[in-house]
Amino acid sequence: MDSDRQLHAEVVSALEAVTPPAPWLASSIGESLRAHPRRAGTRFTNHRLSVAIAGVLVPLLVVTAGGLFAIRSLIHPVSAQPPRGDVARYVAMLTRDKLVLDEAYGGKVSVDDWSTSACVSLANQECPAYLARVEGGWQRMQYDLDRTTPPDQFKAEHERMQANLRAFIAALGLGVAAFNAGDSQTLNRVFNSAMQLQDQILWIEAYVVYESGDPKPARDTATATYQKLVARDYDNLHLPALFSSLFTCTLRDAACTASIANTRSALRAFDADLRASRPPDARLDYIRGTLLGGLTIELANLDQVDAASASGNEKALESTRLSSLHAQWSVSLYTGWILYAH
Amino acid sequence: MQNAIMTRERAARGGDEVAFTTLLAPILEPGYRLACAMLHDPQAAEDAVQEAALKAWRKLDRLRAGAEMRPWFLGIVANECRSTRRSGWWAKVGALVTDRPVEAASDSVLTGMEVRRALRALEHRSRLVLVLRWYLDLPVEEIARVSGLSVHAVESRLARATRELRTKLQAMEVRNG
């Protein structure tokens, strides 16, 4: 570097290379400002007056909004699709996050492909760095999802990804701690069980990218209705939250018992709905059979976890909760066949 | 011209988002360039500018009447960049995002990647004043308003940052042979 001028030129050229044009920025900021209206700085100083005005205005606004909504529903029974740009931006964000993840893993990461040699034994010193890098990749996706309002059509998928990400990132953190503590049992649990969460996120991400692509043939109403029912009942299970509870469950753990109780009643409701509904085709009918089997097994597993915990049997608790985590994987997998695989 | 700006500012303070967007439009580009130069990650830079715009919108009352909007907004962008770099994921995969080779090979002894690595090694405020001066060509007085430093402090920070950057780059040149 001979002179300030040369250094200046080197810096400008190095920075220009990471500043691609972003012509959409102004419009996307305009949209986001419209979504966050700002009130002017007017303040009522008379408290009684404010309360009186609020007492009249709030019910009036509620009635007006309700009326407008009802009229709008009559005119437009189906809600309008969000602008195409929203979907494109959302998918571009997911795609970029996936690229960062691939780099963190050192290769393309896909569903059902989570084998790594970095953490096969506690002797492998690369494991903590590998897990930290992978955890960072998922945290980046979580950071992006948490800061993004999803397009309406992917709202449920967005929330499912977020729930799975929370549980998975926590499990990866436990994996690093387990390695440092020389706890191979927990480390194995991360690789044998927590990878179902990774599979779920990758599956949903791939589904969103696929669905946002070229126009697809319209799904028939019966299939769409059936998928809606399955999605609702599946989301009510809150499996990622149950996963996190079971992962760290101790004997007579009240939080764990509460989480199990929540999922148990949702499992029963799911089971009843599946039995009462009629799948629109033979393929979905077949999946329903396997899914019902998975729900039954998980219900039995949760009873056994509760029994082991209440009786103070640590060994039984360990084995039953592993069975439960495994059965969750099956429930998510069969549900995914209904929701994401057409 | 000044009257039109003041009218828009009053409207924006009253909650008119179109007026605010119009005021913001000419300073979004420098905001985005600043974020790219601080983060070296275009996607994170877009997010930072978007977040900064929302914060500016919410905190518009804090901008003194008649004060220039650009240094105020760039200050918010700089703070957003700092928050991004402090986030958990950045410490772990920031380098994966920012070290991607994005330019074609050049004849220069130092690649752009090395220059950026040297820049990233500078302390936040040093990097900020250097970027504002060299990349955004801002006058020292405005840099002082963006960074919250005195004009004198900016000048000495700029001289120190240049020395530090030069030292780091020379060390890289030696390593590269």
Side-chain angles (χ1 to χ4, degrees):
Chain A
M1 288 290 155
D2 301 326
S3 64
D4 276 1
R5 190 180 294 176
Q6 190 190 339
L7 181 59
H8 185 163
E10 293 273 6
V11 167
V12 170
S13 143
L15 293 180
E16 285 295 353
V18 284
T19 311
W24 54 84
L25 194 57
S27 66
S28 77
I29 286 176
E31 278 170 33
S32 111
L33 292 178
R34 270 191 293 284
H36 296 86
R38 175 179 172 276
R39 276 174 298 173
T42 334
R43 288 195 184 95
F44 283 111
T45 47
N46 184 331
H47 180 66
R48 278 188 184 177
L49 185 63
S50 311
V51 172
I53 291 176
V56 176
L57 276 184
V58 169
L60 191 67
L61 280 173
V62 169
V63 170
T64 312
L68 286 175
F69 184 77
I71 292 166
R72 187 180 171 279
S73 304
L74 287 173
I75 299 168
H76 301 289
V78 180
S79 67
Q81 286 291 308
R84 180 83 192 133
D86 274 1
V87 175
R89 269 203 301 278
Y90 186 71
V91 170
M93 178 193 80
L94 286 179
T95 309
R96 282 188 299 241
D97 287 343
K98 176 67 171 42
L99 280 175
V100 173
L101 269 172
D102 290 345
E103 288 187 45
Y105 276 84
K108 205 167 161 54
V109 56
S110 51
V111 176
D112 211 17
D113 172 23
W114 38 269
S115 54
T116 172
S117 58
C119 292
V120 284
S121 86
L122 289 171
N124 195 333
Q125 291 306 310
E126 284 170 30
C127 181
Y130 170 82
L131 285 178
R133 210 170 54 238
V134 165
E135 187 186 6
W138 290 111
Q139 282 172 338
R140 157 84 186 226
M141 184 183 264
Q142 184 182 40
Y143 175 84
D144 281 342
L145 290 180
D146 287 350
R147 287 159 56 103
T148 304
T149 308
D152 284 351
Q153 75 183 94
F154 295 129
K155 200 166 171 285
E157 287 77 11
H158 181 93
E159 285 167 8
R160 245 172 256 148
M161 278 192 282
Q162 281 181 308
N164 280 290
L165 271 167
R166 272 195 295 277
F168 187 48
I169 288 167
L172 286 172
L174 289 171
V176 176
F179 184 91
N180 291 333
D183 172 5
S184 58
Q185 194 180 33
T186 305
L187 191 65
N188 284 337
R189 211 186 303 148
V190 171
F191 279 93
N192 292 333
S193 306
M195 291 304 155
Q196 63 177 289
L197 302 167
Q198 173 180 299
D199 275 2
Q200 276 294 302
I201 306 161
L202 290 172
W203 203 354
I204 299 169
E205 186 264 350
Y207 168 78
V208 170
V209 173
Y210 171 80
E211 280 293 306
S212 66
D214 298 332
K216 310 285 177 305
R219 221 158 285 149
D220 63 278
T221 319
T223 305
T225 308
Y226 187 71
Q227 283 177 322
K228 217 170 179 175
L229 171 108
V230 170
R232 186 200 63 197
D233 283 359
Y234 175 75
D235 287 338
N236 284 342
L237 298 177
H238 297 293
L239 288 186
L242 177 68
F243 180 94
S244 294
S245 294
L246 284 176
F247 207 80
T248 52
C249 238
T250 51
L251 290 171
R252 300 182 192 92
D253 187 334
C256 205
T257 312
S259 186
I260 287 173
N262 279 340
T263 302
R264 185 186 284 116
S265 60
L267 279 167
R268 287 188 183 130
F270 199 177
D271 184 279
D273 282 345
L274 281 179
R275 287 180 199 281
S277 62
R278 201 167 148 207
D281 59 47
R283 177 184 158 272
L284 289 175
D285 195 24
Y286 170 77
I287 300 171
R288 177 178 73 154
T290 54
L291 180 54
L292 278 169
L295 297 179
T296 307
I297 291 169
E298 183 58 347
L299 270 167
N301 283 331
L302 292 181
D303 287 345
Q304 284 169 10
V305 173
D306 268 349
S309 178
S311 66
N313 186 340
E314 205 154 324
K315 210 169 171 186
L317 178 66
E318 176 64 19
S319 75
T320 52
R321 69 179 169 159
L322 278 179
S323 304
S324 169
L325 291 174
H326 195 77
Q328 281 177 37
W329 200 329
S330 308
V331 170
S332 293
L333 180 71
Y334 304 145
T335 307
W337 284 349
I338 298 172
L339 299 183
Y340 314 126
H342 336 280
Chain B
M1 179 72 174
Q2 194 59 30
N3 276 349
I5 292 176
M6 285 174 72
T7 310
R8 277 193 200 118
E9 203 180 302
R10 262 201 305 278
R13 284 178 196 274
D16 180 344
E17 123 264 329
V18 176
F20 180 72
T21 311
T22 315
L23 285 171
L24 203 61
I27 53 177
L28 275 182
E29 203 241 339
Y32 172 65
R33 283 167 67 79
L34 170 63
C36 284
M38 294 299 283
L39 297 171
H40 304 171
D41 173 1
Q43 191 200 344
E46 275 184 42
D47 288 346
V49 177
Q50 182 119 14
E51 199 63 31
L54 273 175
K55 283 193 177 154
W57 176 228
R58 287 191 200 114
K59 296 177 180 175
L60 191 58
D61 288 335
R62 296 192 196 169
L63 176 65
R64 209 164 22 86
E68 270 188 76
M69 203 167 167
R70 187 169 76 172
W72 177 70
F73 179 64
L74 292 182
I76 299 175
V77 172
N79 278 338
E80 270 310 305
C81 294
R82 191 178 212 172
S83 306
T84 302
R85 290 179 64 92
R86 282 177 177 166
S87 56
W89 66 267
W90 188 274
K92 292 166 190 156
V93 289
L96 291 178
V97 178
T98 55
D99 276 348
R100 272 189 219 140
V102 282
E103 66 261 274
S106 78
D107 293 336
S108 168
V109 178
L110 286 166
T111 64
M113 205 190 283
E114 285 165 326
V115 175
R116 288 192 295 276
R117 203 169 292 158
L119 277 168
R120 283 201 299 277
L122 295 178
E123 191 258 327
H124 171 81
R125 270 194 172 161
S126 299
R127 195 168 61 251
L128 179 63
V129 293
L130 206 69
V131 164
L132 291 170
R133 185 78 190 106
W134 285 8
Y135 194 48
L136 269 70
D137 286 322
L138 296 193
V140 176
E141 293 75 17
E142 190 170 347
I143 297 175
R145 290 204 290 279
V146 175
S147 59
L149 295 167
S150 67
V151 170
H152 178 70
V154 168
E155 281 168 343
S156 56
R157 177 78 69 153
L158 202 51
R160 202 167 63 231
T162 311
R163 271 199 310 276
E164 276 179 44
L165 185 67
R166 194 185 298 280
T167 310
K168 286 180 197 306
L169 290 173
Q170 275 164 351
M172 285 176 180
E173 273 180 338
V174 170
R175 274 206 300 276
N176 291 349

